[in-house]
Amino acid sequence: MPAHRSRMAFEPIPPDLDINAVVASTPNFQFGMRITCDTIDQLPLEHFEKLVLYQVVLSGRPLIIEGFQKYLDKNLFSERWLRETHSSKTEVVRDITKKKNTTFSMGHYLQSLPLLARRMTTNDYARKDRQRLYMKDIDCPQEWHDFLKNIIPPSLFYLNEAPKNFQGPASGMTTPSDFPRTADRTLIAPAGDLMSSLPANQRAENLMCYIGHEGTYTPAHQEMCASLGHNLMVEASHEGQEHGQQTASGSSIWLMTDNKDRHVVAEYWMSVLGHDIDIEDFFAPLHAWQIAPFTTWVVEQKPGDLILVPPLAAHQVWNRGTRTMKVAWNRTTVDTLELALREALPHARMVCRDEQYKNKAIVYFTLERYSKLLQGVKKMDHPVVEEMWKDFGRLFTMYKDILLSESFSKKSPEKSVEYHEYQSNVTCSFCRCNIFNRFLTCNGCADSKHFEEELGPYDVCMDCYAMGRSCGCVSKLQWVEQFPIKQLTDRYDSWRRLIVTAAEGKKDIKEMKEIKQNFPTLVVARGQAGKRSIAEICQEQLARRPWNDPQNPTAAIKPPRRLPRKGTNGDGDGNDDGESDDDDGDDDKPRKKRKIRHSVTKNPDGMHRCHVCLHLELDWKLATCSNCDQHYCYGSLYRAFEIRPNEAMEKHHWLCPKCRKVCSCGACQRDPNNKPYAPNFTVLGHDTSTVADPRSIEALVDFRKSNLWWLKKFGGDDVHERIAKRQKEADEAELARHNKLEAEGFKFETSPFDQPGHENGYDALGLPVDPSLIDGTFLTVT
């Protein structure tokens, strides 16, 4: 029987929980760092922004800014105002217990909150049928948006594109006149939210409101696309009576992790709790956090508290009392874009999570905007200009990687590419990620008789197609691009010239050489890549994979029944664990072992046996070693060796696990020089059929299957050892990041916030001292 991981059940937080006592008695619990509006009002805005950069972005820890309630209009940000102005407006409310959405008018929902909250008593709050209705992800009223825009420091607010006058904390210390300008008086300064670079009709609307009652919650998750999260509690119920009904004081309990612990958290969630944090459907019990092998930052959010959430830091929220009302938004920065392209988007693609932020498009349009601002600005005698040049260089590097990934083979460039003008609305039919430029489309299955409705063209991103995801046609898909490729390459050349020209005359010969190496021409960059681009992989796979007529489906994508290889006993290489991706058996039922009859027939043309699972497979479903001609099915590579299909396909000369002496098959285990590969991560498997287009198939790897069998056999299924390894890697990565920052011009010096004479964790200005700053250091830009 295949190995299965048990799943921890949901356990609600009791209404009478003393969170202060819990933190005091739990070694890995710490209260998040707080700073008051009064404190930052005494300092220049750039000092506050420096703290946010260090604490939230670079250190990856949450920051709480308290005291905004004195800036808020209590008449505007109130339950009464919502009743008077939006009472009849209908909103979608999430029934958390039944896991479905329902519709309420604003007035009816607000009127129901006292009753819903009173039902959460200390005696029966844990009942499984207890109603939990959460009004979440609703549009923020325009009046609230306009007011908040005037009091939140501009660099922190939604869709900020430049410094602006405002009336919130630190507003008296800095004005836009302090920033340099272009000849036409346009401010030269980095945008606080790079989403603002997109055309207005292409931006994601993410300024949202959340209204909840005792017992409503948000499951553990990370902010979408590795963005920076901001959550301000604007109002909450108080102890007493409202509209003749008894009410309880409202607040929210947040449990958050460090950004650096994200891989440890993901492994703990899967291997110990039995859930995948990328799915965002599990609220972890309090005791699961208490025994976790990482630090948990705890916040009790009350009215006026603005919480800044680090990118990729897992967090969950529990609402308490009769009512909590919050406004939340996300920001995209250069740092979050790098994390999104490197980590967040590949994870989102695996679980088919919408990419609403159009990250690649943001890179392109921000470069367009910044290049116009920096045109002719060669002097770097202003800190803001220098910061913009650094951001421009990082964005340019991301753009280079995007262009390289979309480059066709030099030997076989595509001659037939359909043009579809970019409108930002093309998404992958399988993973639902936004597609920036090139993709594959199929019109042949749009009106297939096997589906009740016409579904339109099937568009698939290159990453999904490389992994074997597509419509049932499998092949004969058409190339489409949304930008003329010459336009994109011309932009690359002009932006590169801008960088190189700006540096000329200000650097010595050695530095200029390094700049040209860091920002190579596109031809040189392609030569340096040393691997096939994702576009080249798709070109090759389109030629290899057979076409399956959607009107008359055949067995073109499914091989015949697999037979064991001669000389095997059928169970020495993991055959009985349900590893085969085309095995139709029920994995939950034990299999009766059968006597194996050895086959003496040759492999049919176009088919070979997988070296690991021994099953006969079509050649296009196998990776072939460049050294020994052994064949590996992509299912075995993914689960046993953590090699995704595209990782094998991108190499010009791929060496198989046998040649690298890490093979897990029975024969290779007898080689004393061979050390079977032990998977590093738990993979629980994802059934994407409920979210992907109904025409979708997985032709190479069945991603619903887990790697638990391989973990148990070759990794010892030692959860603690695996998590400890992730923790060690996190610490090493943090040290490497620290050293890299110093090498790139950052240095650690005395913090402007760390004044002598602090008592009980507070400095002389009343600013809480970050535990990481106890040594009196602070990261600053030189």
Side-chain angles (χ1 to χ4, degrees):
M1 178 183 295
H4 289 276
R5 184 76 66 194
S6 59
R7 292 163 61 89
M8 183 171 285
F10 165 71
E11 294 181 19
I13 291 178
D16 58 351
L17 177 75
D18 185 344
I19 191 61
N20 293 301
V22 171
V23 173
S25 62
T26 307
N28 66 316
F29 276 19
Q30 294 185 36
F31 280 115
M33 178 183 177
R34 285 180 175 268
I35 180 173
T36 66
C37 286
D38 289 341
T39 300
I40 62 176
D41 206 20
Q42 303 172 33
L43 302 169
L45 182 60
E46 58 265 28
H47 285 185
F48 166 65
E49 292 174 342
K50 190 180 294 183
L51 175 63
V52 172
L53 171 68
Y54 176 75
Q55 175 73 12
V56 184
V57 180
L58 300 179
S59 293
R61 297 170 182 170
L63 177 66
I64 304 92
I65 308 169
E66 61 182 41
F68 274 102
Q69 69 271 19
K70 77 173 187 178
Y71 292 92
L72 297 174
D73 182 339
K74 292 181 173 57
N75 293 320
L76 178 62
F77 293 92
S78 67
E79 180 263 357
R80 182 181 297 276
W81 183 85
L82 283 177
R83 282 202 192 199
E84 292 175 351
T85 58
H86 295 275
S87 182
S88 60
K89 184 180 180 182
T90 57
E91 298 285 3
V92 174
V93 174
R94 182 67 175 174
D95 188 330
I96 299 176
T97 304
K98 295 181 179 180
K99 295 185 177 181
K100 67 177 185 179
N101 294 333
T102 185
T103 302
F104 275 72
S105 68
M106 178 67 75
H108 179 58
Y109 179 75
L110 292 174
Q111 187 177 3
S112 303
L113 289 178
L115 175 60
L116 291 168
R118 284 199 302 272
R119 288 177 175 173
M120 298 291 176
T121 66
T122 54
N123 295 324
D124 61 358
Y125 71 94
R127 282 177 51 180
K128 293 183 179 180
D129 62 346
R130 185 56 68 216
Q131 199 171 28
R132 306 172 191 274
L133 300 178
Y134 197 6
M135 186 175 281
K136 56 184 299 187
D137 295 324
I138 66 172
D139 292 336
C140 179
Q142 186 62 42
E143 295 89 339
W144 288 13
H145 170 271
D146 295 340
F147 192 96
L148 293 176
K149 186 177 182 179
N150 192 42
I151 66 167
I152 302 292
S155 60
L156 297 187
F157 197 58
Y158 172 64
L159 288 182
N160 168 261
E161 60 181 352
K164 300 179 185 297
N165 287 315
F166 70 110
Q167 297 176 357
S171 59
M173 305 296 286
T174 308
T175 63
S177 60
D178 299 332
F179 293 89
R181 295 176 181 268
T182 61
D184 62 357
R185 305 303 298 160
T186 303
L187 281 174
I188 301 176
D193 182 3
L194 297 185
M195 180 73 73
S196 63
S197 299
L198 293 177
N201 63 342
Q202 297 179 16
R203 298 169 183 170
E205 297 294 330
N206 64 27
L207 185 68
M208 301 295 180
C209 288
Y210 298 77
I211 305 176
H213 60 83
E214 178 76 54
T216 55
Y217 60 88
T218 300
H221 67 288
Q222 299 165 329
E223 293 300 315
M224 182 178 290
C225 299
S227 57
L228 286 161
H230 308 72
N231 191 293
L232 173 64
M233 184 174 286
V234 295
E235 198 267 358
S237 56
H238 56 82
E239 197 76 32
Q241 283 198 343
E242 293 180 4
H243 308 291
Q245 298 190 71
Q246 189 65 34
T247 56
S249 179
S251 64
S252 295
I253 294 177
W254 290 61
L255 302 174
M256 292 183 278
T257 64
D258 278 5
N259 166 285
K260 75 177 182 65
D261 288 332
R262 58 190 181 275
H263 300 306
V264 184
V265 174
E267 181 60 36
Y268 178 74
W269 237 251
M270 286 190 284
S271 60
V272 177
L273 307 187
H275 296 266
D276 191 332
I277 200 163
D278 289 327
I279 301 295
E280 303 183 6
D281 66 349
F282 179 61
F283 184 92
L286 191 60
H287 65 83
W289 290 86
Q290 290 176 301
I291 63 173
F294 46 78
T295 298
T296 294
W297 301 99
V298 181
V299 178
E300 183 171 15
Q301 185 186 25
K302 296 182 179 180
D305 287 350
L306 172 62
I307 299 178
L308 307 186
V309 184
L312 294 182
H315 56 285
Q316 66 182 33
V317 188
W318 185 269
N319 296 316
R320 312 181 79 184
T322 301
R323 181 183 64 256
T324 59
M325 295 168 55
K326 290 169 276 191
V327 176
W329 65 94
N330 293 73
R331 285 190 302 121
T332 300
T333 67
V334 176
D335 297 279
T336 69
L337 282 172
E338 288 176 338
L339 282 173
L341 297 177
R342 185 175 67 244
E343 293 188 38
L345 289 185
H347 290 173
R349 185 172 294 113
M350 292 303 297
V351 300
C352 299
R353 184 185 182 191
D354 283 335
E355 183 207 346
Q356 299 177 6
Y357 292 2
K358 307 175 180 67
N359 290 272
K360 292 181 179 180
I362 290 176
V363 171
Y364 175 79
F365 284 104
T366 302
L367 283 168
E368 284 266 62
R369 177 174 178 268
Y370 279 15
S371 64
K372 294 174 182 177
L373 292 175
L374 293 172
Q375 198 72 247
V377 181
K378 297 183 180 180
K379 293 184 179 181
M380 299 187 184
D381 54 359
H382 194 288
V384 171
V385 175
E386 184 175 357
E387 181 184 352
M388 283 198 70
W389 276 114
K390 289 182 179 179
D391 286 352
F392 190 80
R394 293 168 67 185
L395 289 163
F396 180 81
T397 299
M398 286 184 257
Y399 182 66
K400 176 195 70 177
D401 294 338
I402 293 170
L403 273 192
L404 290 178
S405 71
E406 301 206 346
S407 300
F408 288 137
S409 169
K410 293 180 180 179
K411 296 180 180 179
S412 305
E414 290 292 330
K415 298 179 180 178
S416 176
V417 181
E418 179 185 340
Y419 174 68
H420 176 82
E421 186 178 359
Y422 182 79
Q423 297 175 343
S424 83
N425 58 356
V426 178
T427 57
C428 177
S429 296
F430 200 111
C431 71
R432 303 194 297 175
C433 283
N434 183 260
I435 299 176
F436 170 62
N437 185 31
R438 283 176 171 165
F439 63 96
L440 293 162
T441 189
C442 177
N443 294 304
C445 58
D447 57 350
S448 174
K449 61 185 178 182
H450 297 280
F451 299 98
E452 296 180 357
E453 57 180 331
E454 292 188 11
L455 298 170
Y458 186 97
D459 302 327
V460 62
C461 67
M462 294 185 290
D463 295 275
C464 276
Y465 191 75
M467 289 195 293
R469 294 168 159 183
S470 70
C471 61
C473 299
V474 184
S475 192
K476 288 191 177 180
L477 280 74
Q478 171 68 33
W479 282 102
V480 183
E481 64 183 18
Q482 301 176 79
F483 290 92
I485 194 62
K486 190 175 188 308
Q487 175 182 331
L488 297 181
T489 55
D490 285 349
R491 290 289 194 282
Y492 182 92
D493 294 337
S494 64
W495 293 335
R496 179 183 177 274
R497 284 195 300 271
L498 186 62
I499 293 173
V500 174
T501 303
E504 286 178 350
K506 301 174 180 60
K507 306 284 183 181
D508 58 31
I509 297 177
K510 182 179 179 182
E511 289 177 314
M512 279 302 304
K513 185 177 180 180
E514 289 180 357
I515 288 174
K516 291 182 178 180
Q517 288 176 343
N518 293 334
F519 305 102
T521 63
L522 197 58
V523 173
V524 172
R526 288 191 67 176
Q528 293 174 341
K531 61 182 182 180
R532 295 184 181 92
S533 68
I534 196 71
E536 288 182 83
I537 292 173
C538 290
Q539 285 182 285
E540 291 186 356
Q541 293 304 305
L542 281 169
R544 292 193 69 192
R545 299 176 189 178
W547 177 60
N548 189 40
D549 187 348
Q551 306 302 331
N552 298 290
T554 66
I557 63 169
K558 187 176 178 66
R561 183 171 64 88
R562 292 165 166 171
L563 299 173
R565 187 171 55 188
K566 180 180 178 181
T568 66
N569 58 13
D571 61 0
D573 298 324
N575 300 41
D576 296 330
D577 71 329
E579 186 65 22
S580 167
D581 280 341
D582 287 312
D583 195 336
D584 295 325
D586 184 351
D587 283 347
D588 293 328
K589 297 179 180 179
R591 288 177 171 79
K592 182 179 179 181
K593 292 186 179 180
R594 296 171 293 177
K595 185 176 180 180
I596 302 299
R597 296 182 180 180
H598 302 316
S599 172
V600 294
T601 60
K602 290 184 177 181
N603 293 335
D605 290 340
M607 301 184 74
H608 285 87
R609 294 191 184 279
C610 171
H611 180 74
V612 174
C613 70
L614 311 179
H615 292 108
L616 196 62
E617 190 61 273
L618 295 164
D619 284 347
W620 64 272
K621 290 190 173 188
L622 298 166
T624 303
C625 181
S626 301
N627 183 52
C628 69
D629 290 331
Q630 289 290 349
H631 305 276
Y632 285 73
C633 73
Y634 290 104
S636 292
L637 287 178
Y638 177 66
R639 284 183 287 275
F641 304 101
E642 296 174 326
I643 299 174
R644 295 186 182 185
N646 60 296
E647 293 173 354
M649 296 171 183
E650 70 185 10
K651 293 180 172 57
H652 294 289
H653 301 285
W654 180 68
L655 290 182
C656 69
K658 178 184 177 183
C659 291
R660 290 188 284 115
K661 299 296 182 182
V662 294
C663 189
S664 304
C665 78
C668 289
Q669 288 181 60
R670 292 190 286 272
D671 181 353
N673 296 320
N674 184 82
K675 185 179 180 182
Y677 183 84
N680 291 305
F681 297 95
T682 302
V683 176
L684 295 179
H686 305 291
D687 183 1
T688 57
S689 60
T690 58
V691 288
D693 187 293
R695 294 167 289 182
S696 300
I697 65 163
E698 292 177 330
L700 296 182
V701 179
D702 186 348
F703 289 103
R704 295 172 300 176
K705 293 179 179 290
S706 74
N707 71 342
L708 298 179
W709 186 89
W710 294 100
L711 282 172
K712 186 173 182 179
K713 185 168 183 179
F714 296 106
D717 202 23
D718 189 334
V719 173
H720 299 291
E721 181 180 339
R722 199 157 55 250
I723 290 177
K725 185 176 180 180
R726 298 281 79 75
Q727 189 68 65
K728 181 180 178 183
E729 290 174 352
D731 293 339
E732 291 174 349
E734 182 69 6
L735 179 61
R737 183 192 63 81
H738 180 286
N739 294 335
K740 182 173 181 289
L741 286 171
E742 283 192 322
E744 291 178 350
F746 289 83
K747 73 176 183 179
F748 290 86
E749 61 182 27
T750 302
S751 165
F753 302 100
D754 188 16
Q755 304 295 332
H758 63 269
E759 298 177 0
N760 300 322
Y762 284 79
D763 64 23
L765 295 175
L767 179 74
V769 177
D770 183 347
S772 67
L773 305 180
I774 348 188
D775 60 354
T777 61
F778 187 79
L779 189 64
T780 57
V781 182
T782 57

